[in-house]
Amino acid sequence: MWAEGPSRSAVVVRLVLAVVVAGALLAGVLLPWLAGTGLLVRNSATVREALPPALDTRVPDNTRVLAADGSLITEFYAHNRTPVTSAGIAAVMKQAQVDIEDSRFYEHHGLDVQGTLRALARNVAAGSVQQGGSTLTQQLVKQTLLQTAQTPEERQAATEESVGRKLREARLALALEESYSKDEIVTRYLNTVYFGEGAYGIQAAAQRYFSVNAADLSLPQAAMLAGLVQSPTNDDPLTNPQYARARRNEVLTRMHDLGHISDQQLAEATATPIGIIEGPAPPNGCVDAVVGGFFCAYLQHYLTDTLHIGQDLLDTGGLTIQTTLHPDMQAAGDQAVLHTLPLGDPLAGLYTAVEPGTGHILAMSVNRRYGCDQPDCESVVLNTAAGQGSGSTYKVFTAAAALERGYSADYKITTSNPYVSKVYKQGHGPYVVKAFAAADKPTLTLEQALYMSSNTYFVAMEDRLGSVAGPVRIAERMGMHFDRPNQVPADTIIAHEYGSFTLGAEATSPLDLASAYSTLAAVGTRCDPIPVTQLLDAEGQPLTDSAGRPLVPGDSCQANAIPPAVATTLAQIMRKDVEPTYPGQTGTAADVPGHEIAGKTGTAQDNYSVAFAGYTPRYSASVMIYNPKRSQDVGAGGSSRAAQIWHDAMAPILTGQPNTPFPPADPVLAGRAALNMPPPPTATPTPLQNATAPISNRSR
């Protein structure tokens, strides 16, 4: 018998506290009530207390992340809750909750003297806590302060068994009743309380247990949910269906005793099986994203690191985040990478798509699942990481620099194979590169060299430019970045004259590559990549900074980042790399018949990475394949698997759409002869040009 001592002591303590609290309430709080009338003296300074923000603002809500078409990507939440209006809750649900929790709710003003004394008498007579004395309004105060507590001290203050807490809750309950109508209070209560199984609020509970909306709850369903609030674990219908049914019937009986349901309704409802139709919890975070997990992770970092939105606000703010993701392009990209590289293959296939002219990120696909701890999972957003080089995709930057300097598409250079640079060094020796396969031609035009991917031509063109500064700076102007920890800064590449730049030896972000090529697609307009178009608060208004400006400023674009004539000419040149019938071309695997596509393949040194960057006037996308854990020969050139992934991802999107043609090339830059060309620089290198450059002589 003595084994029950601790629990009995706890009961005694709670009963004594109840007596003290009841006396305090009567003496310290209820004196402003007029004896015998139950009418509250309005505006009494001893009763009212200013409502804290938690009680005077919207109930915390899940944040919803939406794709460009309005479909759900995922949600962010600390507590799964979807507040609904009064009209969104079945009337029978409100009645059931009031009847079982606070039957005098519509008669009192936040405190129920009769209920408190009746509960106290029953508990003292029973020697245990049999009935609570708190009103529904007091419970709302307690639950709100507890759920919005930010520190351990606030949580303790919201739950401690003390007279001070009870008195404060009582004063706040009185103030709450002066500020809100009864219907508003019961609606807030039902949107706030916990119903078990991770469901906060009636909408989440209705979905979790019955897969219906709160507005459509039946009498038996409403009674079961109303009964859960007191003990959501013990009466959980998923784990303790017999207890849940007994508690539900207790609620139904109470509703009958109060005259709110008929004899027939009681009989039919108590005979009804629990009838659980279990619904899943909504996705939470990027690990649970319905589509585009890696895009979601990039978005989350963008929101927290770039827009400086705290994760707490994401989890509780009820925001609506309208993103740029196109689910059809994401799905097509996912299928394309998995068709070529199965889930969990050591080689990662990365497909990244953006919209020219806006910078909107359309898709981020990887042959991995995001964020879990299985071998086929990945937590790094590889679409933005700079892992390996992307090979000859960088030749477009040298070509752009040459065109900008006035060289034309038919400018010829005759080179030996291998070719010894007249300007750049490799260590203390000459920088030597070799042409491969069909590009092993002594004399080529710029146009031929680009679509045939001649290493020797482009290093010779760098010789004529005299420095890598032009190609590097135009790459930056087009959208490339060289500021990640594992990248060589652009200033260093220029200062040390890395002649291998044109062969794509630099670690490259797939997103940067897609963005840079989108500048060509947009006829020279560069737009910074962006994953979000609108950010709304819980009231549906744009979220703003301290100065009242929307946090999402809109597209960030710069017209004429490169000359439009250069962009249009390059598009017409690079069509010959993709669209069939051009001898020596490398990117035909990306061709989608009936559509104009420009692109460039790339293979990094030692075959550690292959790439393809391609675009139409409406879409720009890059593909990279490499092992993100270690250097590995990928076993195939960019003209095969990378270009094939691009094709497989874009063909479902382009098929059925009308062809969008590229603008014509600039007639001067595409002309048959270049006039007034600058002479080649001296063959004597400067001291900086003697600096060591990365070895890279294999690039297609």
Side-chain angles (χ1 to χ4, degrees):
M1 296 295 293
W2 287 106
E4 299 179 4
S7 60
R8 287 181 134 192
S9 299
V11 168
V12 170
V13 169
R14 292 181 67 184
L15 290 174
V16 170
L17 180 63
V19 173
V20 173
V21 169
L25 289 173
L26 289 171
V29 178
L30 302 182
L31 284 180
W33 291 64
L34 296 176
T37 67
L39 295 177
L40 181 65
V41 177
R42 300 293 177 182
N43 301 320
S44 170
T46 61
V47 175
R48 297 187 75 255
E49 179 166 322
L51 289 174
L55 284 169
D56 207 24
T57 56
R58 182 185 173 96
V59 177
D61 191 359
N62 299 2
T63 286
R64 291 169 53 82
V65 182
L66 306 179
D69 64 358
S71 60
L72 181 71
I73 295 175
T74 193
E75 299 183 13
F76 291 112
Y77 56 86
H79 297 146
N80 174 27
R81 178 187 284 112
T82 303
V84 288
T85 63
S86 175
I89 304 174
V92 70
M93 182 66 230
K94 298 176 188 177
Q95 193 64 65
Q97 200 69 65
V98 168
D99 285 355
I100 197 62
E101 292 290 335
D102 184 4
S103 61
R104 285 174 39 80
F105 173 71
Y106 291 103
E107 301 170 29
H108 63 65
H109 296 276
L111 299 180
D112 184 5
V113 181
Q114 296 180 25
T116 299
L117 295 176
R118 182 174 60 251
L120 178 61
R122 179 176 177 182
N123 294 340
V124 170
S128 63
V129 178
Q130 298 288 323
Q131 184 175 332
S134 296
T135 65
L136 187 146
T137 313
Q138 288 173 277
Q139 293 177 48
L140 173 58
V141 170
K142 178 179 179 180
Q143 288 298 318
T144 301
L145 295 179
L146 176 60
Q147 292 182 27
T148 58
Q150 299 294 317
T151 65
E153 292 75 18
E154 289 178 351
R155 284 188 285 274
Q156 181 180 359
T159 58
E160 65 182 2
E161 293 291 344
S162 68
V163 174
R165 177 179 71 81
K166 292 287 187 180
L167 290 175
R168 182 169 186 246
E169 284 180 3
R171 291 194 298 269
L172 287 173
L174 292 171
L176 198 64
E177 294 255 354
E178 289 192 0
S179 301
Y180 295 96
S181 69
K182 288 290 187 178
D183 187 64
E184 289 172 322
I185 291 172
V186 73
T187 298
R188 284 176 65 93
Y189 178 87
L190 286 168
N191 277 322
T192 300
V193 292
Y194 182 56
F195 289 89
E197 294 290 337
Y200 287 79
I202 189 59
Q203 176 66 14
Q207 288 286 330
R208 182 72 180 95
Y209 294 110
F210 300 113
S211 297
V212 300
N213 291 321
D216 300 321
L217 288 166
S218 66
L219 172 60
Q221 292 170 339
M224 196 213 78
L225 294 179
L228 271 179
V229 173
Q230 186 180 86
S231 184
T233 300
N234 290 341
D235 297 327
D236 187 336
L238 302 181
T239 58
N240 298 312
Q242 68 278 17
Y243 292 164
R245 182 165 185 165
R247 175 63 172 163
R248 179 202 68 179
N249 291 348
E250 181 181 348
V251 175
L252 291 168
T253 300
R254 178 66 172 164
M255 296 179 74
H256 178 263
D257 292 345
L258 293 172
H260 294 140
I261 61 174
S262 66
D263 295 344
Q264 181 178 352
Q265 287 176 307
L266 174 64
E268 291 175 351
T270 54
T272 301
I274 288 292
I276 296 298
I277 304 175
E278 189 175 351
N284 189 9
C286 297
V287 172
D288 294 340
V290 176
V291 64
F294 290 94
F295 171 87
C296 175
Y298 175 77
L299 167 75
Q300 185 174 8
H301 288 302
Y302 180 86
L303 294 172
T304 56
D305 297 347
T306 302
L307 300 186
H308 305 295
I309 297 172
Q311 189 61 45
D312 286 345
L313 180 59
L314 287 181
D315 288 339
T316 63
L319 309 180
T320 299
I321 302 170
Q322 184 68 60
T323 76
T324 60
L325 183 78
H326 283 213
D328 58 342
M329 295 192 70
Q330 181 66 50
D334 292 346
Q335 293 174 11
V337 296
L338 291 174
H339 178 74
T340 299
L341 295 166
L343 191 69
D345 191 294
L347 296 177
L350 314 173
Y351 169 79
T352 311
V354 300
E355 182 177 57
T358 65
H360 294 178
I361 300 173
L362 306 176
M364 286 183 169
S365 297
V366 188
N367 60 327
R368 303 283 194 274
R369 292 184 293 154
Y370 174 73
C372 52
D373 57 1
Q374 302 301 314
D376 59 1
C377 293
E378 178 61 69
S379 295
V380 175
V381 183
L382 297 174
N383 307 77
T384 63
Q388 291 281 357
S390 62
S392 291
T393 60
Y394 274 46
K395 288 173 182 170
V396 73
F397 305 132
T398 303
L403 292 171
E404 189 175 48
R405 284 274 296 272
Y407 291 90
S408 69
D410 69 344
Y411 182 75
K412 292 180 180 179
I413 300 178
T414 300
T415 64
S416 60
N417 188 19
Y419 174 77
V420 181
S421 172
K422 299 175 177 61
V423 175
Y424 306 103
K425 296 292 185 179
Q426 184 172 297
H428 296 291
Y431 183 46
V432 182
V433 294
K434 184 178 180 180
F436 289 90
D440 184 8
K441 305 288 185 184
T443 302
L444 293 170
T445 65
L446 187 153
E447 176 179 272
Q448 292 170 323
L450 188 55
Y451 74 72
M452 295 169 70
S453 201
S454 170
N455 295 341
T456 55
Y457 182 99
F458 275 94
V459 173
M461 177 56 79
E462 278 189 324
D463 282 357
R464 281 155 175 74
L465 294 174
S467 169
V468 299
V472 172
R473 295 309 184 198
I474 209 164
E476 291 183 307
R477 283 153 52 196
M478 288 172 63
M480 299 297 294
H481 297 84
F482 303 97
D483 54 3
R484 294 172 178 82
N486 61 327
Q487 289 182 302
V488 178
D491 289 346
T492 301
I493 296 172
I494 294 170
H496 293 281
E497 292 291 3
Y498 286 0
S500 60
F501 180 81
T502 194
L503 304 184
E506 307 305 323
T508 299
S509 155
L511 178 60
D512 279 3
L513 193 60
S515 177
Y517 274 61
S518 78
T519 300
L520 300 176
V523 195
T525 295
R526 187 200 69 236
C527 296
D528 297 332
I530 186 172
V532 59
T533 57
Q534 197 171 46
L535 192 57
L536 305 179
D537 63 19
E539 305 301 328
Q541 299 301 311
L543 202 64
T544 59
D545 60 17
S546 58
R549 297 167 299 199
L551 283 178
V552 179
D555 302 337
S556 176
C557 298
Q558 178 187 342
N560 300 317
I562 65 170
V566 171
T568 57
T569 302
L570 282 172
Q572 295 298 336
I573 292 174
M574 288 196 291
R575 287 179 61 192
K576 295 178 173 63
D577 195 19
V578 178
E579 299 171 26
T581 73
Y582 296 94
Q585 63 188 157
T586 61
T588 55
D591 181 51
V592 179
H595 291 272
E596 294 186 8
I597 297 169
K600 184 72 194 75
T601 58
T603 303
Q605 176 73 17
D606 295 323
N607 222 38
Y608 287 160
S609 171
V610 293
F612 179 80
Y615 61 96
T616 73
R618 294 185 61 189
Y619 308 107
S620 177
S622 71
V623 176
M624 290 186 67
I625 300 174
Y626 66 90
N627 188 326
K629 305 297 183 183
R630 62 180 180 84
S631 294
Q632 174 187 340
D633 188 327
V634 301
S639 60
S640 56
R641 288 196 288 180
Q644 187 65 51
I645 289 174
W646 196 98
H647 167 274
D648 293 348
M650 289 302 304
I653 305 303
L654 296 177
T655 300
Q657 291 185 4
N659 175 52
T660 304
F662 288 107
D666 178 82
V668 174
L669 295 183
R672 302 269 46 93
L675 303 177
N676 301 318
M677 297 308 304
T682 176
T684 304
T686 64
L688 284 178
Q689 291 168 332
N690 277 313
T692 301
I695 299 173
S696 179
N697 59 14
R698 179 176 181 175
S699 187
R700 297 190 292 276

